[in-house]
Amino acid sequence: MLIWMWIFHSGYLRDYLSVCVMLFPFSLQDTTAYPYQFQDDPYLSPRTSVEFKLFSLSQESGRSAAKYFINNYPKFFTKDFAEPHIPCLMPETVSLCLEEVSEEALKERISLRKVTAAADMYDQLLQAGTEVSLETTHDLLDLICLYGDRDPVQDGEPETEDMPKKRKGRVRRASDIIKSTWKQNNNAERIFNLLPERDTHCYSALIRGTVLHGAYEKAFSLYTDMQNNRLSADIHIFNALIAAAPEVRDKYQEKWDVINDLLKQMSQQKVQPNLMTFNCVLKALRRCGSLGKSQALQTLSEMKALQIAPSLASYSHILAIFYKPASAGQGNTDVLQEVIAELAGTSFTCQDPDDVLFFINAMRICLDNKDLELGYQIQSLVEVGENWRLLGDSFQQSVYYGRFFNLLCLMEHIDVVFKWYRRLIPSVYYPNPQGLRDLLQALDTDNRLDLLPTIWKDICTLGHDNKSDLVEELLALMARDGHSHEVQESFAACALDIKRVYDENRGKPSLEWSNSSLSHVASLLLRANKTQLNVAFMFMELLVTVFFPLGLLYSEELLGEFLSACHRDGSPQKAVELVHLSTAFCLSATPNLAKRALAEFDLTEEQR
């Protein structure tokens, strides 16, 4: 014990485990554990995708609220217990300290992202006759253009009505904050027009701002004005204009002509393209129709000639050009195979915001073309190094693993499907109802319906037991065919548990008894050796009294099964009650039921 304590505290064991995790991330992963972010608080252990979203947002909301109070009320958090001092745990300076009219005060407002206050301070400096340095003016224009002349939302602050809305159920992204409409004659344009001399950086800030906020024509107008002033553009200006090119032209050839003209001007001005330049070109080519295919390969060759390594976003744009969702199922994955062969065994870092779209799009192509082998290769690439970090946010990860699991259910043997099922859930994937429906179909295809009760337990654990279509599909598979005694007993126990769930959710619109669900549960109970005739008869009575008056069909076969079960268990009274029930509603099966009851049961005179 002492030896192990010495090994751990000396760091050798921790270093060894760290190396093992880097080399074999999935082999050492506890697939039964919840995601790492929830392991600090056992109460926040999500069982379902809904709880995962709720707990994730709760954690983030708590952090934002705590950060807001610490930063806005730092006088209550002056104690520093950490040794050594940890700056990131102490309050940040978010309130303005300099009130006098000075360039230092302007710099303070810029650093704290106070857009409106910074613009007001700039005006006060001009009114006082104070000259602002060009570097500070650049920073001010960058700030205003980035946020579209609006103050950004600080952590913990409520959103106002004029702020751009984010999509429901999604974690806030930078794009959700900055995407807004560019207002004419805003502070950025006003300050720009007041400048006695405008250099390339000033034009760069406005051009990038107008492109970012959707004023594409304005961006090209500013670029023309810059050329008239005999100024050379920088790489950021060209990247922004290339990204905006598809928005200012309608025809495919005209869009490419604008892009090609910008690339020629880059060459004339001796501006060296970078990775983002080519990614902007490839992204723009996605909107150039069939023209994009020929130009995309030429662009990729040009990148390699300049020794610029493509990022995952580059390949994602290539895949989007060659594989349109409308052309799914064509069975040609040659381009994707070449891409995966080139990327095999490579560990990536994020270089472009669109890098997170590669894996999700690649797996979509595999699913559309039913290419299981290629899907395995993509998953192997995800497991290299820390490539899993490039799967995107929790929603995108769910989509990726959902597509991969769907592909497995369609193409793989059920034993392999279950291996991945236990490996992915709940550590990295919470299946939605469609994913569980795919699993049910895979069980049906491989004739492993004996595993349905186990799947029902997982459905309850994952919180999908209130999905009526999923529950009815499960009941239909269990009730469709006869099975061995042991399997029928497990099916009957599962049917009773489903009855419990229906009873607990009674009155809720999400889960109500239907004609088919009642028939399936009654049939499953009747097939079990230890038949629960009282419960089964209750379902029969509910089925006939509720659904037959509504014009819904009933199953004569099910009535016959109930009568056979009564004979098997020696229950003539239940057989008579069934005939009375059938007679009360004038069912067409009444004469046959009466004949069978008289012939097969030893009835009393009163029962006869």
Side-chain angles (χ1 to χ4, degrees):
M1 183 65 181
L2 292 175
I3 295 176
W4 276 108
M5 290 179 63
W6 174 81
I7 292 174
F8 180 79
H9 287 291
S10 63
Y12 293 122
L13 181 59
R14 282 173 290 173
D15 293 342
Y16 171 75
L17 291 175
S18 300
V19 172
C20 289
V21 170
M22 287 189 294
L23 295 178
F24 313 104
F26 273 80
S27 60
L28 292 178
Q29 182 182 10
D30 182 2
T31 58
T32 63
Y34 295 100
Y36 180 77
Q37 67 188 100
F38 302 111
Q39 293 180 10
D40 288 338
D41 190 347
Y43 181 76
L44 295 176
S45 298
R47 299 176 299 110
T48 68
S49 57
V50 175
E51 289 184 353
F52 178 88
K53 181 186 297 182
L54 176 63
F55 294 165
S56 300
L57 295 177
S58 298
Q59 278 191 336
E60 194 62 34
S61 176
R63 291 192 188 98
S64 298
K67 190 174 181 180
Y68 173 77
F69 278 100
I70 289 176
N71 292 336
N72 286 274
Y73 304 97
K75 62 182 179 180
F76 299 115
F77 304 94
T78 57
K79 298 288 186 180
D80 185 7
F81 299 99
E83 294 182 5
H85 175 68
I86 305 175
C88 65
L89 297 182
M90 298 304 294
E92 298 177 2
T93 303
V94 296
S95 58
L96 299 176
C97 299
L98 302 177
E99 296 297 336
E100 72 275 5
V101 179
S102 65
E103 186 169 338
E104 291 301 320
L106 175 58
K107 291 180 179 179
E108 180 190 45
R109 284 153 176 75
I110 293 173
S111 63
L112 294 178
R113 298 184 301 165
K114 305 289 186 181
V115 177
T116 304
D120 292 341
M121 179 58 68
Y122 182 83
D123 291 337
Q124 293 177 34
L125 287 170
L126 292 185
Q127 292 172 3
T130 305
E131 184 178 352
V132 181
S133 66
L134 191 59
E135 181 180 358
T136 304
T137 305
H138 290 164
D139 294 338
L140 177 60
L141 285 174
D142 288 340
L143 176 69
I144 298 175
C145 293
L146 175 62
Y147 292 104
D149 200 14
R150 293 179 178 85
D151 285 317
V153 180
Q154 303 293 335
D155 290 333
E157 288 186 357
E159 295 184 11
T160 58
E161 292 183 358
D162 61 336
M163 292 176 180
K165 302 295 183 182
K166 65 172 182 174
R167 284 178 287 180
K168 184 178 179 181
R170 295 291 297 277
V171 178
R172 183 193 301 276
R173 298 178 179 176
S175 59
D176 297 324
I177 301 175
I178 60 180
K179 279 197 174 180
S180 57
T181 305
W182 181 267
K183 296 181 179 179
Q184 293 293 331
N185 300 318
N186 59 15
N187 281 324
E189 292 187 18
R190 183 176 60 80
I191 293 173
F192 178 81
N193 292 328
L194 290 175
L195 292 176
E197 293 184 7
R198 302 156 194 164
D199 60 359
T200 300
H201 193 116
C202 298
Y203 279 100
S204 177
L206 253 72
I207 290 175
R208 284 184 289 167
T210 51
V211 171
L212 188 63
H213 298 286
Y216 308 109
E217 297 287 352
K218 178 71 174 179
F220 279 90
S221 175
L222 286 168
Y223 178 63
T224 302
D225 183 54
M226 186 185 71
Q227 288 179 310
N228 293 335
N229 291 328
R230 300 184 181 278
L231 291 175
S232 298
D234 60 15
I235 185 62
H236 305 295
I237 292 177
F238 282 114
N239 290 350
L241 293 176
I242 290 172
E247 307 292 343
V248 297
R249 295 292 185 273
D250 295 327
K251 297 182 179 180
Y252 295 152
Q253 186 62 48
E254 292 177 353
K255 294 177 181 179
W256 171 246
D257 289 340
V258 174
I259 297 171
N260 195 30
D261 184 54
L262 289 170
L263 293 174
K264 290 179 179 178
Q265 292 180 38
M266 284 183 66
S267 177
Q268 293 171 0
Q269 298 180 29
K270 297 182 180 180
V271 177
Q272 187 71 16
N274 57 14
L275 174 64
M276 293 303 299
T277 306
F278 288 104
N279 283 353
C280 289
V281 172
L282 291 171
K283 191 172 185 177
L285 286 173
R286 295 171 58 173
R287 301 179 56 184
C288 292
S290 58
L291 179 66
K293 293 184 178 181
S294 59
Q295 298 298 337
L297 296 178
Q298 184 177 346
T299 303
L300 201 60
S301 301
E302 185 70 19
M303 290 181 70
K304 295 179 180 179
L306 294 174
Q307 296 182 347
I308 297 177
S311 69
L312 288 181
S314 310
Y315 292 112
S316 179
H317 298 322
I318 292 289
L319 296 180
I321 292 170
F322 282 88
Y323 298 100
K324 303 293 184 182
S327 61
Q330 62 185 1
N332 184 5
T333 58
D334 293 343
V335 175
L336 179 57
Q337 288 177 357
E338 292 181 12
V339 170
I340 297 301
E342 184 172 343
L343 300 180
T346 307
S347 180
F348 299 96
T349 56
C350 188
Q351 303 178 71
D352 186 307
D354 289 335
D355 282 349
V356 297
L357 301 177
F358 172 76
F359 289 113
I360 191 173
N361 290 334
M363 192 56 71
R364 174 187 60 81
I365 295 170
C366 293
L367 179 60
D368 290 342
N369 292 278
K370 307 296 185 294
D371 195 328
L372 179 62
E373 185 62 32
L374 196 53
Y376 276 132
Q377 294 178 27
I378 294 172
Q379 177 60 23
S380 297
L381 184 60
V382 170
E383 297 176 7
V384 173
E386 294 190 344
N387 289 347
W388 58 271
R389 295 183 182 275
L390 296 175
L391 289 176
D393 57 26
S394 59
F395 174 78
Q396 292 170 318
Q397 288 184 30
S398 178
V399 173
Y400 169 81
Y401 283 113
R403 289 172 175 173
F404 179 52
F405 187 68
N406 188 2
L407 181 63
L408 291 171
C409 291
L410 288 173
M411 308 298 296
E412 191 58 275
H413 188 270
I414 190 61
D415 292 335
V416 180
V417 173
F418 256 88
K419 184 192 74 172
W420 282 99
Y421 179 75
R422 297 306 179 197
R423 179 176 172 181
L424 299 176
I425 301 168
S427 58
V428 295
Y429 174 51
Y430 292 93
N432 56 16
Q434 182 58 47
L436 292 169
R437 202 172 291 113
D438 294 336
L439 180 59
L440 295 180
Q441 294 173 359
L443 291 171
D444 186 22
T445 301
D446 282 3
N447 197 24
R448 289 299 306 277
L449 298 182
D450 57 294
L451 297 174
L452 289 176
T454 303
I455 301 303
W456 166 247
K457 293 179 181 179
D458 291 344
I459 289 175
C460 294
T461 302
L462 294 168
H464 296 309
D465 52 351
N466 60 346
K467 307 297 190 299
S468 58
D469 54 345
L470 180 62
V471 177
E472 289 192 11
E473 184 169 349
L474 178 75
L475 287 171
L477 289 175
M478 290 194 295
R480 188 182 61 190
D481 304 313
H483 299 274
S484 64
H485 164 69
E486 293 80 4
V487 174
Q488 289 297 162
E489 286 291 332
S490 65
F491 282 1
C494 183
L496 289 176
D497 194 50
I498 292 175
K499 173 187 174 298
R500 175 190 60 79
V501 173
Y502 269 92
D503 292 341
E504 291 177 355
N505 289 273
R506 183 172 295 172
K508 297 181 180 179
S510 59
L511 200 61
E512 293 288 347
W513 284 113
S514 66
N515 184 20
S516 58
S517 60
L518 283 171
S519 300
H520 294 326
V521 172
S523 177
L524 290 169
L525 294 175
L526 292 173
R527 291 176 188 173
N529 193 21
K530 297 179 180 179
T531 308
Q532 302 188 31
L533 285 177
N534 291 329
V535 179
F537 186 76
M538 179 193 69
F539 280 97
M540 298 289 299
E541 189 175 20
L542 185 64
L543 179 66
V544 174
T545 57
V546 174
F547 290 98
F548 179 70
L550 297 177
L552 299 175
L553 298 176
Y554 65 93
S555 173
E556 293 189 11
E557 182 182 354
L558 182 60
L559 298 176
E561 284 186 19
F562 186 85
L563 201 62
S564 300
C566 292
H567 182 266
R568 183 178 65 241
D569 288 1
S571 301
Q573 182 59 34
K574 287 296 179 184
V576 173
E577 291 177 7
L578 178 66
V579 176
H580 285 174
L581 180 66
S582 179
T583 303
F585 287 91
C586 302
L587 301 183
S588 59
T590 302
N592 292 332
L593 293 176
K595 290 179 182 178
R596 285 191 57 188
L598 290 171
E600 298 177 9
F601 293 88
D602 186 13
L603 304 177
T604 64
E605 285 299 323
E606 181 181 359
Q607 290 172 336
R608 285 179 175 274

